[in-house]
């Protein structure tokens, strides 16, 4: 089929469209099988990031410049690399987890099928759709490329495998620059899986109603606890959600990150509410202030 013809919609296209509705800063363009992945002019392929060559150098130069602009001083090279990995992995994991959460479909995206551009404002992906896993009662089970798995746990295993397939070579590219190895790197991936989907679920609920907001957030927590119970290598730790009591007895959601994003090296007093360096009293203060705003 010529590349000039319209690109057929994949089984996960509706999930990406829904995410973009609630998070306009994240867009996903599906390419025709004959189209090349964009590269250059802001675009970097996931393969280039994994190869740790000029593509990764240019990608991290963007973070280096942003840190200098926003904080008035340069970041350590390992911190810049950590920021760069976070800013790629957070949305990249959603390529897999969002269709699973919304439609129980799990696409496979090896690094050879993904390009990324975050230089123009939105986080923009260009992807070449391929096979996907789904449940037996899914109408998409009859589509080309569908691989039917028997139950929800088998589908969760597909999510874990698909994220690992994509992220393992990317970690090999970033890891030496971050001065981190296996467990620490996979701890970061664990956090990106959890916090990305948790945030998007909150936005999906807010788009419906206040009641739906709470429902979708809790549903995401339950799904992620089953996805990452703490014993699924190479991932490190569990989803680690818990609730804290606010000053008026209200329930405040938080979680314990498996890794540190290193932001404290730039702003020691400005840690996030899920940071392992943040005590519960400070978490309550931060979450209460956030709710009030």
């Amino acid at each position: 089929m010529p590349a000039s013809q319209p690109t057929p919609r994949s089984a996960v296209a509706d999930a990406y469209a829904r995410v973009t509705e609630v998070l306009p800063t994240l867009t996903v363009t599906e390419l025709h099988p004959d189209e090349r992945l964009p590269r250059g002019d802001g675009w970097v392929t996931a393969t280039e990031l994994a190869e740790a060559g000029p593509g990764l150098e240019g990608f991290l130069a963007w973070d280096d410049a942003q840190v200098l602009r926003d904080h008035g001083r340069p970041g350590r090279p390992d911190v810049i690399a950590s920021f760069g990995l976070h800013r790629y992995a957070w949305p990249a994991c959603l390529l897999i987890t969002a269709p699973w959460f919304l439609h129980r479909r799990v696409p496979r995206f090896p690094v050879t099928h993904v390009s990324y551009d975050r230089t123009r404002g939105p986080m923009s992906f260009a992807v070449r759709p391929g096979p996907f896993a789904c449940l037996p009662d899914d109408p998409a089970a009859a589509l080309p490329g569908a691989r039917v798995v028997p139950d929800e746990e088998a589908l969760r295993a597909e999510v874990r495998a698909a994220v690992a397939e994509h992220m393992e070579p990317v970690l090999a590219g970033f890891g030496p620059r971050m001065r981190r190895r296996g467990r620490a790197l996979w701890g970061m991936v664990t956090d990106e899986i959890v916090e990305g989907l948790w945030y998007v679920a909150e936005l999906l609920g807010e788009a419906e109603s206040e009641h739906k907001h709470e429902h979708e957030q809790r549903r995401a927590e339950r799904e992620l606890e089953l996805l990452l119970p703490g014993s699924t290598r190479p991932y490190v730790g569990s989803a680690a959600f818990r609730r804290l009591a606010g000053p008026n007895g209200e329930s405040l959601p938080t979680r314990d990150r498996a890794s540190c994003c290193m932001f404290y090296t730039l702003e020691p007093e400005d840690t996030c509410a899920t940071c392992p360096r943040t005590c519960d009293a400070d978490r309550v203060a931060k979450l209460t202030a956030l709710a009030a705003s």
Side-chain angles (χ1 to χ4, degrees), residues 205-256:
E206 286 177 350
E208 301 281 340
S209 66
E210 184 60 33
H211 172 73
K212 188 70 170 178
H213 166 216
E214 178 76 10
H215 171 78
E216 287 296 274
Q217 188 180 55
R218 291 294 186 106
R219 183 169 83 87
E221 290 171 10
R222 291 193 298 271
E223 297 281 10
L224 288 162
E225 285 167 345
L226 291 170
L227 179 68
L228 296 166
S231 57
T232 50
R233 294 182 178 181
Y235 304 101
V236 175
S238 66
F241 291 110
R242 56 193 179 96
R243 298 269 159 170
L244 299 173
N248 298 311
E250 67 271 35
S251 177
L252 301 173
T254 189
R255 67 174 297 264
D256 296 313

Side-chain angles (χ1 to χ4, degrees), residues 17-175:
R18 182 72 182 112
V19 170
T20 300
E21 285 179 11
V22 299
L23 185 62
T25 54
L26 175 58
T27 64
V28 181
T29 300
E30 295 189 330
L31 302 175
H32 190 276
D34 293 338
E35 285 185 89
R36 292 184 177 181
L37 291 171
R39 60 191 301 171
D41 191 28
W43 288 95
V44 61
T45 65
T47 299
E48 289 178 288
L49 297 179
E51 290 171 345
L56 180 57
E57 290 283 357
F59 187 83
L60 294 179
W62 197 92
D63 287 287
D64 208 5
Q66 184 188 49
V67 166
L68 186 60
R69 182 180 68 247
D70 293 349
H71 301 277
R73 57 192 175 94
R76 293 185 340 221
D78 60 309
V79 172
I80 296 299
S82 295
F83 288 180
L85 177 61
H86 162 65
R87 287 164 180 159
Y88 177 78
W90 191 94
C93 289
L94 285 167
L95 292 175
I96 296 161
T97 60
W100 165 69
F101 183 73
L102 287 168
H103 299 140
R104 286 302 189 260
R105 297 169 187 171
V106 181
R108 289 290 184 124
F109 285 116
V111 291
T112 53
H113 285 47
V114 177
S115 278
Y116 182 54
D117 178 17
R118 49 89 181 263
T119 64
R120 293 177 176 84
M123 300 173 285
S124 300
F125 281 97
V127 301
R128 185 176 296 116
F132 66 97
C134 64
L135 295 171
D137 60 351
D138 188 334
L143 294 176
R147 191 165 73 82
V148 178
V149 298
D151 53 33
E152 291 281 2
E153 179 50 38
L155 200 63
R156 286 190 285 270
E158 289 289 330
V159 175
R160 294 188 288 264
V163 173
E165 176 188 38
H166 184 83
M167 289 306 306
E168 186 170 16
V170 173
L171 295 182
F174 278 90

